[in-house]
Amino acid sequence: MAAHAQDNKAVDTSPLWKHVRKEWKLYSFLILPVIYFIIFKYTPMLGNIIAFRKYRGGTNFFGSEWVGFSYFEMFMKDPTFWRAFFNDLTLSVSYLVVKFPITLLFALLLNELRRVKWKKFVQTVSYLPHFISMVIVAGMIKEIVSMTGPINNILAWMGLGKISFISLPEWFPTIYVTSGIWQSLGWGTILYLAAMTAIDPSLYEAAKIDGANRFRLAMNVTIPGILPTVMVLLILDIGSILGSNFEKILLLYNPLTYESADVISTYVYRMGITGSNFSYATAVGLFEGVIGLILVTIANEVSKRTTKSSLW
């Protein structure tokens, strides 16, 4: 009893508990997000058990019998899975390699604008595509690259042959990457611009006194000042390399472009939702999650050792 009382007293006098009791109104805002994550993020993780059990549907949500790693062995031997795996890597890495430097450069250019009205106008225009529904975005893309769309009309005007972009596998990565840049460019600069506002203005003044021009200011003051934010965002992007935009690809691809457009998420959708092979699809999804965790961990360690910035 005495030991239990001492433990309670230690909890009551801890700085964190004191702060929670003092700012309980502020902490109460965490209740709904915590409930959301428990119900929609953590509880569904219990369903991963059917990756190791045979699920037939019915009353037993966790499957009827253990099958071990049978489903993992099945998709490892499936050439369609490996095609989706390498397509996922190709699309995600291509998008990351193009998006990351362009977004950073765009944020630096926005930061250099001195006219507030013009800066706000550019920001607003660049943010707008992020708020457009993915269904509308996919429809716009299909219309733009269709045989009667503006791109093919320009090609015809130049005397070149029209191209059925949406039906050719070799054009899908280009469509995916370019449309993704247009859609996320402005929104991706928000965190960079917020980090730039935290840089001490005296650093810019000292650099100007030393004769630094705008390029030198950006390279020697701005980029080092936002480097922690840059590295954190890069780590998160690397962790989602095997998580290409499922909705966008599902709306854009077709059987003619499976060769380059089919990714793990669409493969899981076809196997699980369309094919009702839930255990098999769960095994593939679990494999994808484990690979993502490994990539995040490696990227975090590399960042910690090279730039002293990391997620944990």
Side-chain angles (χ1 to χ4, degrees), residues 132-146 150 182:
I132 301 176
S133 168
M134 186 58 68
V135 177
I136 297 176
V137 169
M140 293 171 62
I141 294 171
K142 288 182 177 180
E143 287 296 323
I144 291 172
V145 301
S146 68
W182 166 73

Side-chain angles (χ1 to χ4, degrees), residues 29-49:
F29 286 102
L30 287 173
I31 294 176
L32 287 179
V34 168
I35 293 175
Y36 167 80
F37 276 98
I38 290 175
I39 295 176
F40 295 104
K41 300 297 182 180
Y42 290 101
T43 302
M45 291 176 67
L46 297 174
N48 285 327
I49 194 68

Side-chain angles (χ1 to χ4, degrees), residues 14 24 27 30 32 39 41 58 65-66 82 87 121 132 158 162 174 179 200 222 229 240 265 268 270 276 305 307 309:
S14 65
W24 66 270
Y27 280 96
L30 287 173
L32 287 179
I39 295 176
K41 300 297 182 180
E65 60 181 282
W66 287 98
W82 288 110
N87 284 343
F121 172 77
I132 301 176
M158 296 174 63
K162 292 187 176 183
T174 303
S179 61
D200 188 353
T222 306
T229 302
S240 60
S265 55
V268 169
R270 290 203 313 278
S276 299
R305 294 176 184 274
T307 65
S309 301

Side-chain angles (χ1 to χ4, degrees), residues 295-312:
L295 289 174
V296 167
T297 304
I298 293 174
N300 189 74
E301 288 301 316
V302 172
S303 176
K304 185 187 297 184
R305 294 176 184 274
T306 56
T307 65
K308 308 301 180 184
S309 301
S310 60
L311 286 174
W312 65 86

Side-chain angles (χ1 to χ4, degrees), residues 90-312:
T90 301
L91 290 176
S92 297
V93 172
S94 301
Y95 180 56
L96 177 60
V97 168
V98 176
K99 184 201 76 169
F100 197 79
I102 289 181
T103 304
L104 179 58
L105 178 61
F106 186 64
L108 292 172
L109 293 175
L110 276 178
N111 190 54
E112 291 298 318
L113 291 177
R114 293 294 175 258
R115 294 186 179 182
V116 178
K117 290 184 178 180
W118 177 242
K119 184 176 182 179
K120 289 183 177 180
F121 172 77
V122 174
Q123 285 180 303
T124 302
V125 171
S126 61
Y127 292 167
L128 284 178
H130 177 79
F131 298 99
I132 301 176
S133 168
M134 186 58 68
V135 177
I136 297 176
V137 169
M140 293 171 62
I141 294 171
K142 288 182 177 180
E143 287 296 323
I144 291 172
V145 301
S146 68
M147 294 298 290
T148 57
I151 294 180
N152 272 312
N153 287 335
I154 293 173
L155 291 176
W157 176 74
M158 296 174 63
L160 303 174
K162 292 187 176 183
I163 302 173
S164 181
F165 294 101
I166 206 67
S167 302
L168 297 176
E170 60 269 25
W171 279 102
F172 189 86
T174 303
I175 295 172
Y176 178 82
V177 173
T178 53
S179 61
I181 297 298
W182 166 73
Q183 196 175 2
S184 64
L185 180 62
W187 186 255
T189 63
I190 290 178
L191 292 178
Y192 292 138
L193 292 173
M196 290 175 190
T197 59
I199 299 176
D200 188 353
S202 63
L203 296 176
Y204 289 104
E205 295 173 3
K208 289 178 181 178
I209 292 174
D210 291 337
N213 55 24
R214 287 194 172 187
F215 178 77
R216 289 297 180 184
L217 289 175
M219 296 299 297
N220 298 327
V221 180
T222 306
I223 292 181
I226 65 173
L227 187 59
T229 302
V230 172
M231 295 310 301
V232 168
L233 293 178
L234 181 59
I235 291 170
L236 295 175
D237 285 338
I238 291 175
S240 60
I241 277 182
L242 287 182
S244 299
N245 196 321
F246 166 69
E247 296 87 354
K248 183 177 179 180
I249 294 177
L250 185 67
L251 292 168
L252 288 177
Y253 85 154
N254 57 71
L256 295 176
T257 57
Y258 277 177
E259 180 183 336
S260 63
D262 190 27
V263 295
I264 292 180
S265 55
T266 54
Y267 178 75
V268 169
Y269 173 79
R270 290 203 313 278
M271 294 297 106
I273 304 300
T274 305
S276 299
N277 198 343
F278 299 108
S279 293
Y280 182 87
T282 302
V284 177
L286 187 58
F287 173 79
E288 179 186 7
V290 170
I291 296 298
L293 177 61
I294 293 173
L295 289 174
V296 167
T297 304
I298 293 174
N300 189 74
E301 288 301 316
V302 172
S303 176
K304 185 187 297 184
R305 294 176 184 274
T306 56
T307 65
K308 308 301 180 184
S309 301
S310 60
L311 286 174
W312 65 86

